[in-house]
Amino acid sequence: MSTLQLTNITYQFAETTQAIFKDINLTFPSGEMSLIHSPSGSGKSTLLKIIAGFYPEYDHGTLHGNINFNQQDLSTYEEFERRKLITMMFQNPSQQFCMANAYEEFIFTLENLQLSHDEINERMQKAVTITKIASLLHQSFTTLSGGEKQRVALAIIIAIDSPVILLDEPFANVDAATRKQLISLLMTLKQQGKIIIGVDHDLSDYQSLCDQLIQWDSKKKTFVSCSSQQKQTTIAKYNQVATKHCKMPDNSSASYQLKNFSLANGDKELLNNCSINLMDHATTLISGANGCGKSTLFNALLKQHSFSGEVKYQNRPLNKWRHRKYFQQVGLIFQDTNQQFIKITVKDEIDLSKKHAFNDWFNEDKINQWIDKLGLYPLLDRIIYTLSQGQKRRLQILVMAIMGHPVLLLDEPFAGINQDYIKVVVDLLNFTKQHGQTQFIISHQTRGLGDLIDYHLAFDHQQLSYQEVF
Amino acid sequence: MKNTWTLRNIILLTLISIICGVIFFAAGFLYNAVSLLLTPWGLAPFANDALLGLWVLAAPLAGFIFKRAGAPVLASVIGSIVEMFLGGQWGISTIISGIEQGIASELGFTITGYKHFDKLAVITTTLSTTIITFIWDLFRSGYNQYAPSLLVMLFIVRLLSIFILGVLLPKLVANMLEKSRVIK
Amino acid sequence: MNPVLKMLMILIIALEISFTLSLTLNVVIIIVSLGYLLLHARLTRIMYLVTITIIPALGIYFAQRIHGNYTYAILLVSRLYAFVTLGGTYTCTTSIEDLSASLEQNFHLPAKFAYGVMGAFHLVDTIKREVKNIKLAAAMRNVHLTYLSPTLYFKAILSAMNWSTLLAQGMNSHLFVENNPRSHYQKIVIHYSDYAILLITLLLVQIILFKF
Ligand SMILES: Nc1ncnc2c1ncn2[C@@H]1O[C@H](COP(=O)(O)OP(=O)(O)OP(=O)(O)O)[C@@H](O)[C@H]1O
Ligand SMILES: Nc1ncnc2c1ncn2[C@@H]1O[C@H](COP(=O)(O)OP(=O)(O)OP(=O)(O)O)[C@@H](O)[C@H]1O
Ligand SMILES: [Mg+2]
Ligand SMILES: [Mg+2]
């Protein structure tokens, strides 16, 4: 039986004064799945990248301690041997592809593994079948939806078939049904004797899969494995699914009116002749399976994607709205966080919003309060690219909230942030809603949103329909 | 930065040339507009010389960012190959120009022994790029048939364009990047 | 034909016509290239190439007519069209993937160059979308960027720096290790006929150049 063992791992980023974690001691036996569940920004992605051998090489930080595989120190491995031993799925899957589509990416990867033509075909075939991505194989990566990209990324990891697999929030953009499927897939990998280390903020469905739950000890600044009792109770909390009732639309005013609205992406039809009103001064949750067209719908509402039929915003057809005027009305939280920012540091980014806000819902004090509640204070001078995924997400929501758009579209705003911060974000969105903001939220993650959601719009079978529960 | 071409630096260099390639491509449209305006007076070559700065900027930009021998030539060549595949309007001559312009501005850095990436390099690169590309166009674009007065004017316009758009602008961008602490 | 040899052939021809004054050669190149394009490229693409070149062609023509030399005007216009059609014959049948695969397999270009460049090339669409999104994100913050705003390019370069670090790691994670041997799914071989075509074509070009 093989094991991966971390001894006294301490890591400090370049140009910082403190280690982000100290003396991590963890053991990962084969045939077991370990799950790291800790607050955003505690260092999960960093730890995985250290194990996978990307840091300190790409970051020039300082690393102390040892990582052993079967008692042999990984630093004595040849680079290629080490990469073959440990593969990692990144938090942002678009950053992991270098070719044009999945098919070419498989070939590139398996060529690196020095397999022959036939072996490549065989491995690719197998991985494609068990992850059910055959229909995505030749589609350009740039056109895949968020969840589809994550599935492809996982498929490639499976084709590599390494003994140790690291997964950084592999299901952040995946819908509930696919999530269940993929988790059972991980179960088979585990039974094959692999070492799996995952990161997830949402622990539902992990009950039987997870063998070791790893949490953050903020006093000692280290990751610790918790007792099986603790593990049970923590995971159990996520298994209670509470359905919430929500309102059905009445005749109150609509922000958007869609009439005979049809939407397509390339040759894929997404919405077919749909007529519906989207409610004003309320929060509407939009749910639907991966790739059903939610992000594309937002793009259409933002005049970034063509459609047929009619869309009116505030009783005025969309094409009558001038570009500049329109984006004073409607703001978007991008699914891909990096797209949101136009400045370099956190502080500049917040200042820009302060200076340019369309509505003064926030005064100086209020802004400072929210900076604090969202845990952004210590980060003010940081370059945005070095923030963790969840930190970027929180900053992104704050700077857009400050802008005070009458309508805010949010594409997966809760992906990658933990429950405590979800609560803060919900409060923040309730605050702007009280000032009259209309919100539309695409989210696969619905836990903890009870206080926020007024309406639920389901995107299914190329139609949109209001639901009584979510 | 380390002294070899690492995978990361190769990717970065290519990305920078691609961004420049997109600028070349866009400059092609601008060129067409200006050139069309000037055609009735037979002054279309001024469109070429006035915009030349935009076409050559990949090489100095790479020079100022990477501060390393070979970067200007590579950036210029890769940028031109990409432009050709993106469907730029000059066909195969894009690549030839890419090689020629890359060498021209690389020479400006070579003269300083790759020791200077400051004002001196701005001057030497501007001069080397202007002079070499001008000599090239004397033959390739038939400039040697033009009246001397026109030639002098063209030379001055080209010098200014290369100085402002082709070398100074990239230098400022590189300075901004350095200030933002993202270049280590 | 092998992508690298073909590139070499076209480059040599282009270089020769840059510095020689044979109208005949230019015209032959245009006719042969157009013939090739008709067989291999879509008509819209050919029309695009031919029409878009009219503008610079007119520019050169009138500049030479008014300030230069009439025979030169014709010569330069034919040279321009030769460049464009010649380039077209390359890009319509050969992709950048073919070119770099052959450079890697047949000409010992280090794989890190072949795949580094290719990885970056595949980001073109992403970058285009990113530039569009930067403008959109900025408009939502009441900052209005145009294609002439330095901020746009500064930001684009900044995200290029970020992408380059991430993509390099992404490639490593898919087991790409600098200077490590790789296998090849599709083997590219250079046939003797490729060399023959190269030599014969170049020979023909010389004959036209010096005999006509
Ligand atoms: N280059 C850097 N310099 C300084 N600090 C950094 C750098 N990169 C990351 N950090 C900080 O290190 C901490 C850990 O980041 P990491 O991305 O590992 O967090 P995480 O636990 O994965 O968070 P999330 O759940 O939000 O993804 C964060 O506070 C982050 O801001
Ligand atoms: N050019 C194209 N040709 C065919 N299909 C396309 C094209 N571009 C996008 N698609 C498909 O359109 C669908 C809609 O994508 P979109 O990003 O809107 O999905 P989504 O509902 O936001 O999914 P997710 O929850 O995974 O983010 C996806 O299945 C995508 O693969
Ligand atoms: Mg993370
Ligand atoms: Mg989406």
Side-chain angles (χ1 to χ4, degrees):
Chain A
M1 200 174 91
S2 47
T3 48
L4 184 75
Q5 191 160 25
L6 312 187
T7 349
N8 297 328
I9 294 290
T10 299
Y11 190 72
Q12 183 168 346
F13 281 108
E15 292 166 43
T16 58
T17 50
Q18 274 191 331
I20 70 156
F21 41 60
K22 287 180 207 152
D23 294 325
I24 299 176
N25 289 294
L26 293 168
T27 308
F28 305 99
S30 71
E32 284 200 6
M33 150 101 194
S34 308
L35 198 57
I36 311 180
H37 178 249
S38 72
S40 159
S42 49
K44 302 178 291 295
S45 302
T46 310
L47 181 62
L48 293 195
K49 284 208 164 174
I50 289 169
I51 298 175
F54 294 111
Y55 293 168
E57 190 194 323
Y58 276 100
D59 182 77
H60 312 293
T62 23
L63 171 67
H64 295 285
N66 294 318
I67 306 173
N68 292 323
F69 183 71
N70 291 344
Q71 269 76 48
Q72 195 186 346
D73 193 334
L74 281 187
S75 57
T76 62
Y77 275 59
E78 291 276 328
E79 185 181 352
F80 182 64
E81 294 307 316
R82 178 173 181 159
R83 301 241 171 266
K84 238 174 25 180
L85 181 70
I86 304 176
T87 48
M88 169 167 177
M89 176 172 157
F90 292 177
Q91 191 159 11
N92 182 345
S94 349
Q95 295 165 348
Q96 206 159 3
F97 305 130
C98 84
M99 305 300 279
N101 57 37
Y103 176 74
E104 289 176 14
E105 191 73 35
F106 269 112
I107 293 176
F108 168 73
T109 307
L110 299 172
E111 281 179 348
N112 291 332
L113 204 52
Q114 296 162 37
L115 299 185
S116 70
H117 186 101
D118 293 340
E119 288 168 322
I120 289 178
N121 278 338
E122 196 182 314
R123 285 249 191 134
M124 174 156 56
Q125 204 53 54
K126 224 170 99 192
V128 166
T129 319
I130 56 176
T131 51
K132 305 199 174 103
I133 56 156
S135 63
L136 306 176
L137 203 53
H138 294 279
Q139 193 177 330
S140 158
F141 280 133
T142 48
T143 66
L144 293 183
S145 79
E148 290 167 343
K149 276 186 207 154
Q150 283 194 311
R151 253 162 60 202
V152 172
L154 187 63
I156 292 174
I157 300 288
I158 285 173
I160 296 173
D161 197 23
S162 64
V164 184
I165 296 176
L166 312 179
L167 307 161
D168 196 351
E169 297 195 35
F171 311 128
N173 288 302
V174 165
D175 63 56
T178 314
R179 180 188 166 88
K180 285 203 170 62
Q181 267 175 34
L182 295 181
I183 285 185
S184 73
L185 178 61
L186 293 187
M187 197 72 193
T188 32
L189 290 181
K190 187 176 104 168
Q191 281 153 3
Q192 289 166 13
K194 297 203 181 299
I195 299 176
I196 304 176
I197 309 176
V199 169
D200 210 328
H201 290 298
D202 179 359
L203 298 184
S204 49
D205 306 319
Y206 278 110
Q207 194 69 271
S208 54
L209 178 67
C210 170
D211 302 292
Q212 173 174 224
L213 187 70
I214 294 165
Q215 290 185 314
W216 175 245
D217 180 338
S218 59
K219 279 211 198 67
K220 292 194 187 134
K221 290 184 77 173
T222 191
F223 286 103
V224 287
S225 175
C226 59
S227 71
S228 75
Q229 181 59 41
Q230 237 175 328
K231 183 191 105 184
Q232 291 303 332
T233 45
T234 316
I235 296 184
K237 267 192 264 169
Y238 283 82
N239 282 342
Q240 310 146 359
V241 272
T243 52
K244 281 258 158 55
H245 275 272
C246 37
K247 296 196 257 180
M248 288 304 274
D250 46 26
N251 288 327
S252 57
S253 63
S255 62
Y256 283 97
Q257 293 157 285
L258 313 186
K259 223 188 226 151
N260 304 328
F261 179 80
S262 298
L263 192 63
N265 225 343
D267 49 14
K268 182 166 176 179
E269 227 181 294
L270 301 172
L271 272 176
N272 190 0
N273 208 11
C274 173
S275 297
I276 202 163
N277 285 350
L278 306 184
M279 307 312 292
D280 217 359
H281 306 298
T283 306
T284 306
L285 171 73
I286 300 175
S287 68
N290 286 133
C292 72
K294 303 177 296 296
S295 300
T296 315
L297 173 65
F298 272 9
N299 274 332
L301 295 182
L302 288 165
K303 301 167 45 131
Q304 305 294 308
H305 195 278
S306 62
F307 56 84
S308 68
E310 191 182 54
V311 178
K312 279 184 180 165
Y313 170 67
Q314 301 299 355
N315 291 318
R316 203 158 144 210
L318 220 48
N319 53 7
K320 291 273 161 56
W321 280 92
R322 295 267 309 283
H323 197 79
R324 203 177 266 224
K325 262 264 154 56
Y326 189 64
F327 293 119
Q328 295 178 359
Q329 293 283 320
V330 186
L332 169 72
I333 304 273
F334 287 88
Q335 185 167 11
D336 188 349
T337 44
N338 285 325
Q339 317 254 292
Q340 198 87 55
F341 304 112
I342 51 181
K343 292 284 184 187
I344 295 170
T345 65
V346 174
K347 188 166 179 310
D348 291 345
E349 201 63 53
I350 295 175
D351 286 344
L352 180 79
S353 282
K354 268 195 225 168
K355 207 166 94 202
H356 286 193
F358 299 120
N359 282 304
D360 45 5
W361 300 340
F362 295 80
N363 57 26
E364 192 75 30
D365 276 351
K366 270 266 168 313
I367 293 179
N368 287 336
Q369 273 172 28
W370 286 111
I371 293 178
D372 188 33
K373 281 190 209 165
L374 287 165
L376 298 173
Y377 249 117
L379 308 174
L380 285 179
D381 289 325
R382 288 275 298 280
I383 295 174
I384 287 166
Y385 289 127
T386 67
L387 298 182
S388 82
Q389 183 63 28
Q391 291 166 337
K392 277 186 212 158
R393 191 70 83 188
R394 282 175 268 143
L395 175 65
Q396 172 188 27
I397 296 170
L398 179 65
V399 297
M400 285 307 284
I402 297 175
M403 288 308 293
H405 287 95
V407 175
L408 190 58
L409 309 177
L410 302 98
D411 200 347
E412 297 291 351
F414 305 108
I417 51 183
N418 50 311
Q419 281 300 318
D420 295 341
Y421 281 124
I422 289 183
K423 205 167 153 341
V424 182
V425 170
V426 165
D427 288 346
L428 176 62
L429 292 176
N430 271 325
F431 174 82
T432 52
K433 182 157 67 174
Q434 278 156 22
H435 282 92
Q437 189 171 60
T438 304
Q439 295 156 349
F440 299 98
I441 302 183
I442 294 174
S443 185
H444 292 300
Q445 138 84 41
T446 53
R447 188 180 305 280
L449 307 189
D451 298 336
L452 180 65
I453 306 299
D454 301 303
Y455 298 98
H456 175 198
L457 198 55
F459 195 143
D460 196 16
H461 290 98
Q462 304 176 356
Q463 283 298 326
L464 291 167
S465 59
Y466 281 100
Q467 309 287 313
E468 286 179 4
V469 292
F470 80 88
Chain B
M1 282 182 184
K2 274 187 280 173
N3 249 327
T4 52
W5 287 106
T6 59
L7 180 62
R8 176 196 175 260
N9 284 347
I10 293 169
I11 296 173
L12 178 57
L13 183 91
T14 312
L15 284 178
I16 287 175
S17 356
I18 288 175
I19 294 172
C20 295
V22 176
I23 300 178
F24 302 154
F25 192 58
F29 291 102
L30 200 62
Y31 169 85
N32 287 342
V34 180
S35 145
L36 211 56
L37 276 176
L38 296 176
T39 295
W41 292 278
L43 296 177
F46 278 102
N48 180 47
D49 286 56
L51 292 176
L52 195 69
L54 286 178
W55 273 298
V56 301
L57 73 91
L61 183 60
F64 289 124
I65 289 179
F66 287 95
K67 300 193 162 78
R68 181 177 311 171
V73 167
L74 274 176
S76 183
V77 173
I78 294 174
S80 63
I81 293 177
V82 168
E83 189 198 352
M84 186 175 93
F85 278 102
L86 288 178
Q89 57 177 306
W90 305 105
I92 192 73
S93 64
T94 313
I95 296 183
I96 297 185
S97 309
I99 299 171
E100 163 240 340
Q101 291 162 359
I103 293 174
S105 77
E106 178 97 32
L107 220 58
F109 292 103
T110 316
I111 291 169
T112 72
Y114 298 99
K115 297 243 161 44
H116 289 270
F117 293 92
D118 49 11
K119 288 195 192 93
L120 182 66
V122 170
I123 295 169
T124 53
T125 308
T126 304
L127 288 177
S128 68
T129 311
T130 312
I131 294 169
I132 292 177
T133 58
F134 200 79
I135 294 175
W136 186 270
D137 275 332
L138 279 179
F139 300 101
R140 204 212 70 174
S141 309
Y143 277 29
N144 54 4
Q145 302 295 312
Y146 292 140
S149 56
L150 186 72
L151 273 186
V152 173
M153 297 274 285
L154 282 171
F155 186 83
I156 293 172
V157 169
R158 177 176 298 216
L159 184 69
L160 286 177
S161 167
I162 289 182
F163 175 61
I164 297 170
L165 298 171
V167 182
L168 204 58
L169 186 73
K171 174 68 186 155
L172 292 179
V173 170
N175 283 355
M176 262 158 85
L177 286 170
E178 235 154 86
K179 246 195 11 227
S180 73
R181 298 179 292 162
V182 288
I183 300 187
K184 288 197 189 106
Chain C
M1 187 175 175
N2 176 278
V4 178
L5 291 185
K6 191 159 142 197
M7 172 69 92
L8 197 67
M9 177 175 95
I10 289 179
L11 272 178
I12 293 174
I13 298 176
L15 208 58
E16 280 204 81
I17 60 174
S18 295
F19 293 101
T20 51
L21 306 173
S22 164
L23 183 62
T24 324
L25 179 58
N26 291 350
V27 171
V28 170
I29 290 174
I30 295 172
I31 292 173
V32 173
S33 301
L34 275 180
Y36 185 86
L37 280 172
L38 280 173
L39 291 179
H40 294 278
R42 264 179 311 188
L43 208 59
T44 47
R45 174 86 196 133
I46 304 175
M47 295 303 286
Y48 173 82
L49 279 180
V50 172
T51 42
I52 198 77
T53 316
I54 289 178
I55 300 167
L58 285 179
I60 293 173
Y61 180 78
F62 282 104
Q64 286 289 349
R65 278 300 294 269
I66 299 172
H67 304 283
N69 169 328
Y70 177 70
T71 23
Y72 241 78
I74 301 288
L75 185 78
L76 287 178
V77 168
S78 70
R79 184 185 289 173
L80 183 67
Y81 270 98
F83 284 147
V84 169
T85 48
L86 207 52
T89 59
Y90 195 80
T91 46
C92 82
T93 48
T94 316
S95 68
I96 203 161
E97 281 89 352
D98 300 335
L99 180 63
S100 66
S102 172
L103 280 170
E104 184 205 358
Q105 291 188 34
N106 311 124
F107 295 88
H108 305 290
L109 179 76
K112 62 180 177 180
F113 279 97
Y115 286 92
V117 171
M118 193 136 60
F121 185 76
H122 289 137
L123 280 179
V124 171
D125 279 340
T126 310
I127 289 177
K128 276 194 198 150
R129 211 195 34 212
E130 211 148 279
V131 168
K132 226 176 98 192
N133 282 344
I134 293 169
K135 288 179 67 186
L136 179 65
M140 289 169 178
R141 309 283 291 286
N142 214 0
V143 175
H144 300 278
L145 301 176
T146 66
Y147 282 108
L148 292 176
S149 317
T151 320
L152 191 65
Y153 294 103
F154 176 65
K155 176 76 196 176
I157 292 177
L158 211 59
S159 75
M161 300 208 141
N162 189 38
W163 271 108
S164 62
T165 316
L166 294 168
L167 188 65
Q169 293 177 47
M171 289 170 71
N172 285 161
S173 78
H174 286 170
L175 306 180
F176 184 83
V177 171
E178 283 176 35
N179 307 324
N180 208 63
R182 315 174 66 247
S183 66
H184 297 292
Y185 186 73
Q186 225 135 26
K187 290 239 167 21
I188 300 177
V189 281
I190 304 184
H191 303 283
Y192 285 113
S193 62
D194 290 345
Y195 287 111
I197 296 175
L198 175 71
L199 288 178
I200 293 170
T201 315
L202 290 181
L203 200 68
L204 283 176
V205 168
Q206 311 315 316
I207 292 174
I208 298 173
L209 200 56
F210 293 107
K211 292 284 173 202
F212 294 92

